[in-house]
Amino acid sequence: MSVFLKEILADSRDGEWGQGEAGDDTVEMVVIRGTDFERVRVGDVGDLPKRHVAPRIAERKGLRPADILIETAGGSKDRPTGRTLLLRRSLLRSLSLPVTCASFARFLRVDPSRAEPAYVFWLLQHLYRRGVLRKYHTQHTGVARFQYTAFAEGEPLDLPERSVQRRIGDILSAYDDLIENNTKRIEILEEMARSLYREWFVRFRFPGHEKVSLVASPLGKVPAGWAIRTVADTFEITGGGTPSKAVAEYWDDGDIQWFTPSELTAAGTMFVEESGARITALGLSKSSARLFPARSVMMTSRATIGAIAVNTTPASTNQGFITCIPSDVFPLWMLFHWLKENVPQFLRLAGGATFKEITKGTFKQIELLIPPRGLVDAYERTAGPIAEQVLRLQRKNAALRATRDLLLPCLISGEIDVSELARSAPREVRRAARGRR
């Protein structure tokens, strides 16, 4: 059956940004922006903006389970408008306030008597990935826009019978459920390692602390016997660079990972494994980019300061990084969590008129505490296995995303029989799919 989107909607409205301050008669709401779609999709609702909206608008534009959000303005050259997000009941339950979408988006409320909302979401995802929605992305001046009315009234959507819609929606959404569950486990593991670091090395409640006195130092009161060194005397750092884009030999068939700050900020993960671009050995030698070993710690150092991740293979970066190489006295996870804990200090030390940057020279002069080797080793023995669990879950999520993305076009087109897939899918996927009914 072929329909137009407008024919299967019970309601659809533009989003609302509201005002920053509470008024005499306003409703506080959580607002989801297009830039939040990817993280909200995996259950990350921390730091979503809160705005104040007139009650009559809040009533009309409050979101419900199974609503689909579509980005109608913004986007970029490489990420056109038209991205979508399905609101799951569990996500809305996790928020203590009513929810709306921002003014650069709108919600689509599918009439459940006409179509399955989850299937419509995955169909829109498929059309976006195929580039079908790109023709509705326009930018003459200023902000890019998605021509929603033209799409909703003019783009035919093929809907299979309801039972097929339901099974496809269940199977594909099951992958998202598993990814969300793994992401929550990663957050718990990261918090465990971070909390232990703070307990031992910030609050100084390490094993045996009762027998160690605190003494005055340039860093305040610190445990007696702990050394103070500069970064330059503790571990090696390196920077990055960009080979000329005009020279094809610096890029074509490159096999050296080359990270940019946006990749770390977009990933938001402890580990990064694949860069978007790779450079050649010639490109490396003809630029200020430097190759550093696996299990170094990359930190963005300009504009967005303090996005931090560990590379799993030898890599390089552009000039927007300070990369830290672990040492014997300051090994990997001690270094990683020290960087995480001190981002506010790095921001205070940053300068620059156009954009903030902490230079390598400034960074090298930062003083830090060096705990006794036995305590550092004890922390590494605890934090290291936690980090390996995080890496396994990250890789599991990558495999789930890859499988889901391969299945999507095959299920939408009918190339794969969803009934057969429902029987042959991995047990955890089948279990998650059943749990959605």
Side-chain angles (χ1 to χ4, degrees):
M1 178 177 67
S2 182
V3 300
F4 295 116
L5 180 63
K6 69 171 187 177
E7 297 173 339
I8 59 173
L9 295 181
D11 195 8
S12 179
R13 298 178 189 270
D14 287 324
E16 180 67 31
W17 188 235
Q19 59 191 43
E21 300 297 326
D24 293 337
D25 187 22
T26 57
V27 176
E28 187 176 23
M29 303 187 79
V30 171
V31 181
I32 301 175
R33 304 160 296 186
T35 53
D36 301 317
F37 281 11
E38 288 306 310
R39 67 189 186 95
V40 170
R41 186 171 174 180
V42 295
D44 180 3
V45 295
D47 300 325
L48 288 176
K50 297 178 178 64
R51 306 286 291 180
H52 299 270
V53 178
R56 59 184 178 80
I57 296 176
E59 184 177 356
R60 292 203 318 268
K61 298 188 178 184
L63 301 178
R64 303 176 188 173
D67 282 351
I68 300 168
L69 307 188
I70 185 166
E71 185 183 38
T72 53
S76 66
K77 178 182 177 182
D78 300 322
R79 193 204 67 200
T81 52
R83 293 184 304 160
T84 51
L85 170 70
L86 178 66
L87 292 181
R88 290 179 282 181
R89 188 178 302 276
S90 60
L91 186 143
L92 293 178
R93 283 177 176 169
S94 70
L95 295 165
S96 58
L97 295 172
V99 185
T100 190
C101 56
S103 51
F104 277 16
R106 72 183 294 131
F107 73 81
L108 313 175
R109 186 164 295 148
V110 176
D111 184 340
S113 70
R114 299 176 185 173
E116 294 292 325
Y119 179 83
V120 174
F121 164 73
W122 287 109
L123 177 58
L124 294 175
Q125 287 273 306
H126 174 61
L127 295 176
Y128 185 87
R129 290 169 182 270
R130 281 183 54 204
V132 173
L133 301 192
R134 182 177 282 273
K135 63 187 175 186
Y136 300 101
H137 173 87
T138 62
Q139 183 167 12
H140 303 296
T141 58
V143 177
R145 300 281 176 179
F146 181 75
Q147 297 176 300
Y148 170 75
T149 301
F151 169 69
E153 297 180 357
E155 185 70 39
L157 306 179
D158 292 327
L159 300 182
E161 61 182 64
R162 291 297 293 272
S163 62
V164 174
Q165 289 182 44
R166 191 174 302 114
R167 287 197 293 268
I168 290 176
D170 285 347
I171 285 287
L172 292 172
S173 296
Y175 281 90
D176 271 9
D177 290 345
L178 292 170
I179 292 168
E180 180 181 351
N181 289 339
N182 288 339
T183 301
K184 289 177 178 177
R185 292 173 62 192
I186 287 172
E187 290 172 357
I188 292 170
L189 289 166
E190 289 181 346
E191 181 57 31
M192 287 170 57
R194 184 162 50 246
S195 295
L196 184 62
Y197 176 89
R198 289 174 177 165
E199 187 74 1
W200 287 13
F201 305 118
V202 177
R203 302 184 185 98
F204 303 133
R205 293 199 287 259
F206 49 87
H209 71 277
E210 304 91 343
K211 301 176 183 178
V212 180
S213 60
L214 297 179
V215 298
S217 81
L219 299 180
K221 288 192 173 183
V222 303
W226 290 29
I228 295 177
R229 295 185 186 177
T230 64
V231 164
D233 293 330
T234 306
F235 53 84
E236 179 186 351
I237 69 170
T238 188
T242 302
S244 171
K245 297 290 181 71
V247 182
E249 290 85 354
Y250 296 169
W251 299 90
D252 290 352
D253 300 319
D255 59 359
I256 297 172
Q257 305 275 5
W258 183 79
F259 288 99
T260 62
S262 61
E263 290 175 301
L264 265 66
T265 55
T269 50
M270 178 179 282
F271 294 91
V272 288
E273 301 208 76
E274 293 288 338
S275 58
R278 297 191 181 199
I279 62 176
T280 63
L282 182 62
L284 183 72
S285 67
K286 295 294 185 179
S287 72
S288 56
R290 294 291 178 267
L291 188 67
F292 47 85
R295 301 300 177 109
S296 299
V297 189
M298 299 178 287
M299 183 184 78
T300 56
S301 59
R302 59 168 62 177
T304 299
I305 296 172
I308 297 165
V310 175
N311 56 303
T312 58
T313 59
S316 63
T317 69
N318 75 0
Q319 56 273 24
F321 288 85
I322 293 173
T323 296
C324 306
I325 316 299
S327 66
D328 288 342
V329 295
F330 227 65
L332 177 57
W333 300 113
M334 187 78 186
L335 173 56
F336 178 88
H337 289 286
W338 177 80
L339 289 168
K340 283 279 193 179
E341 188 68 25
N342 284 278
V343 169
Q345 179 184 4
F346 306 150
L347 291 169
R348 289 194 300 270
L349 293 172
T354 306
F355 51 78
K356 293 294 185 181
E357 178 178 11
I358 181 167
T359 65
K360 292 193 292 293
T362 298
F363 188 78
K364 285 180 179 180
Q365 298 309 309
I366 295 174
E367 293 184 320
L368 66 163
L369 274 174
I370 309 297
R373 182 60 180 268
L375 188 59
V376 171
D377 289 346
Y379 181 74
E380 292 293 306
R381 287 195 297 271
T382 301
I386 290 174
E388 293 307 315
Q389 290 184 62
V390 169
L391 180 57
R392 285 194 291 272
L393 288 169
Q394 276 191 218
R395 287 173 170 168
K396 190 171 185 179
N397 275 352
L400 288 167
R401 288 190 186 96
T403 302
R404 177 199 67 195
D405 294 346
L406 285 171
L407 287 174
L408 175 58
C410 298
L411 288 171
I412 295 295
S413 67
E415 181 182 342
I416 292 180
D417 186 333
V418 68
S419 299
E420 176 59 31
L421 180 63
R423 291 189 292 270
S424 61
R427 180 181 301 174
E428 61 178 354
V429 174
R430 299 199 306 272
R431 186 184 302 119
R434 287 195 298 271
R436 301 185 59 82
R437 296 171 192 165

